[in-house]
Amino acid sequence: MVVPLIGYLDRFSARPGERIAVKVSSQRHEPYDADLVRIIHGDANPAGPGLKIKEIEPGFAGRYPSRFQPVHSGSCGVVTMPAPIGLPDPCTIVVRAQPWLLDGRPQTVLSLEPLGITLSVAAEGAVLEAQGGRVQVAAPMLQRRWYELRVIASAGALRLRQTALQRSWGVADSGEAEMPGAAGALGHTVFGARPTVGARSHDNPYSAFFNGRIEDPAVLEGALLSGAPIDPSQAECLAWWDFGAGIPTDRIIDRGPHGLHGRLRHLPTRAVRGSYWTGDETSWRHMPRHYAAIHFHEDDLYDCEWETDFAIEIPEGMPSGVYGVRLRCGELQDIVPFYVLPPRGRTTAPIAFLASTFTYQIYGNHQRGNLDDAFRNRQADWGAYPWNADDHPEYAGSTYNKHSDGSGICYSSMRRPLLTMRPGYITYVDNRGSGLRHFPADTHLTDWLTVKGIPFDVITDHDLDREEVSLLRPYRAVVTGSHPEYHTPNTLNALRDYLGNGGRLAYLGGNGFYWRIANSAAIPDVVEVRRAEGGIRAWAAEPGEYFHALDGAYGGLWRRNGRPPQELCGVGFSAQGLFEGSYYRRMPGAEDPTAAWIFVGIDNEVIGDFGLSGGGAAGFELDRADVELGTPPNALILARSEGHQQHFVAVPEELLTHVTTITGEKPKALIRAEIVYFETVSGGAVFSTGSITFCGSLSHSNYDNNISRMLENVLRRFAQP
């Protein structure tokens, strides 16, 4: 069941004078109300400040008619014919397929409708349907193995041949089947029909999606009866869709004489190994024919394609901040967040909060499998956001989930509702706190800045990627949220250059600047991650598939790309446990005259043994300093965490074996978060907290506590000229 009232926006941020399109689906019969709110605190936990949503009078406020806008997921390739093209008699249709999910349902490899010619796969063998007839090869198909499927039209019959390209010893997985009297179907204007790869096209919109990889669909002259597999690049082709061409785009290229090009629907995965891959090359840019396959999925979703219900125009003078479009209909409510930047070329505060929108998008609709009765009771008791991604796979999962065929989700689109990016969204049943992550967790910081009267502008990862260091340069300081994990080369370079020019950075999270991601103007509003060797991973990229399709660059950890987080902010990911927090203990570096001002008003030796995130300021994912990985030699360790629970472990990239580490320390010694401060030779400075749960402690005891005081000391100093 879909969410009865939900929306999404065409962008995450805007400046005064710019417009945001709002797309809404409502299953109610009566109109819904829309207005504007400012999101100050997105944590519904009654033990904390609670939800703070401030109503604002917008120009678009009013009632709008309800209408249901459906979601049609599933990827395929669609060729639009410029004109009908007759097929010769005899001829051969050939395609290579690697099924990844054989579960008893028909899965279409190639469809030529409305003529009713469909080539499908099944566990029992390939299937051909034509002119109301059906034949099946009596040879089993195995998952994740390549087959050539060949349809030969000759002598008044259609012959279907299935040939295994990867042998499985002891299994007869090759065979033939014949359909007499059907060859005439191919002797007319078959290509007046719309060829569709990976789905049936006669339904509205598509059905019987293929889960797996398809390579080299082609139509060839003559009846090719030889037993050797066909390489279309060496054959006389009427049409040949070479998926090794145009990999960074959503186009499929026909190498044949008629230029029958097409488009991909819902962004199936490209830059994956095809049947020609040998392992001699691991970058698709160097041998695209080895990567001439596309991985289609029934649950791919790029663009819901909802119509726009209304648009917001950001008025002049609207303060920079975190806002939301509020939709209400009876007891139903949805608040869709967005950010307002200051006017272009201006700042309205000395500090910029950098919202981790790439990370929010990457985690968008993370289905965690933890939605039990205790979780639902907490949602209801707190009046939290009532919908959860586990209940709503129709909006597609996150890159922390897998497709139904077991392959990892590597793309995340913002052209769909992102349930996890909502005020009041709960991620965990946190017995000592609120259990928030990402967008709502970062409102712990924006609320604290508001309460403390520290002026700040808001910018986002997406803006920084587009505008690079020029966006940061006017600010005296840049502040991150709790988990700025995912970055493009543009965003990481911008932060590096900002510090190199004397900027000041407050990194207030853990496991930040960790994964390299890609995006592209050719396929807008999408980010891509390849979970290559090393790192804490929800799934592992297949060997040879570590290079992004969108930009051709090597994916994986920034550390594996030669840019460990310590080089930027002095600390990097070291350990992880469950969503529980501990505390820091003050270190001798806190007494150094360079940093003693950070502890003015703080007499405690133990710091942060409280908070709304796991019950402590040092928890869940922990970062530490490491000079060999780039921590500057002048960096001061001000405090170090201790007392972590038994479930915490060192991260994989630190381990050589189960008992030895890269640093030579015992694995348990790497379970620590460190608060670090250093000044740069260009006159700037960096303050890093080394923990995801740090900001959850800011509001404790009515915002009067040692974590709050420490950060206030830092940011008020950073905001000075």
Side-chain angles (χ1 to χ4, degrees), residues 459-515:
I459 57 177
T460 77
D461 286 344
H462 288 72
D463 301 304
L464 186 57
D465 182 73
R466 287 188 294 265
E467 301 180 33
E468 302 180 351
V469 72
S470 64
L471 181 63
L472 304 179
R473 194 175 289 119
Y475 291 101
R476 295 174 190 160
V478 173
V479 183
T480 78
S482 60
H483 191 39
E485 182 176 7
Y486 290 85
H487 283 270
T488 63
N490 280 356
T491 57
L492 207 61
N493 291 344
L495 288 163
R496 176 201 63 195
D497 295 346
Y498 172 71
L499 289 179
N501 291 325
R504 299 158 179 171
L505 175 66
Y507 164 42
L508 305 183
N511 186 16
F513 315 106
Y514 191 61
W515 289 103

Side-chain angles (χ1 to χ4, degrees), residues 21-40:
V22 184
K23 301 158 188 296
V24 180
S25 177
S26 173
Q27 290 188 289
R28 290 297 180 91
H29 296 296
E30 65 270 28
Y32 64 87
D33 295 301
D35 61 0
L36 182 66
V37 296
R38 185 157 190 171
I39 302 169
I40 299 171

Side-chain angles (χ1 to χ4, degrees), residues 245 318 447 687 694:
M318 188 172 184
D447 169 62
F687 172 80
F694 179 89

Side-chain angles (χ1 to χ4, degrees), residues 295-333:
H295 198 142
F296 296 89
H297 308 91
E298 64 186 345
D299 51 6
D300 280 325
L301 178 62
Y302 167 43
D303 191 344
C304 285
E305 298 180 335
W306 289 359
E307 295 181 8
T308 297
D309 285 67
F310 57 91
I312 307 168
E313 183 165 336
I314 308 301
E316 298 296 333
M318 188 172 184
S320 180
V322 188
Y323 292 86
V325 177
R326 183 170 61 178
L327 312 170
R328 290 182 290 180
C329 191
E331 78 286 0
L332 300 174
Q333 174 176 285

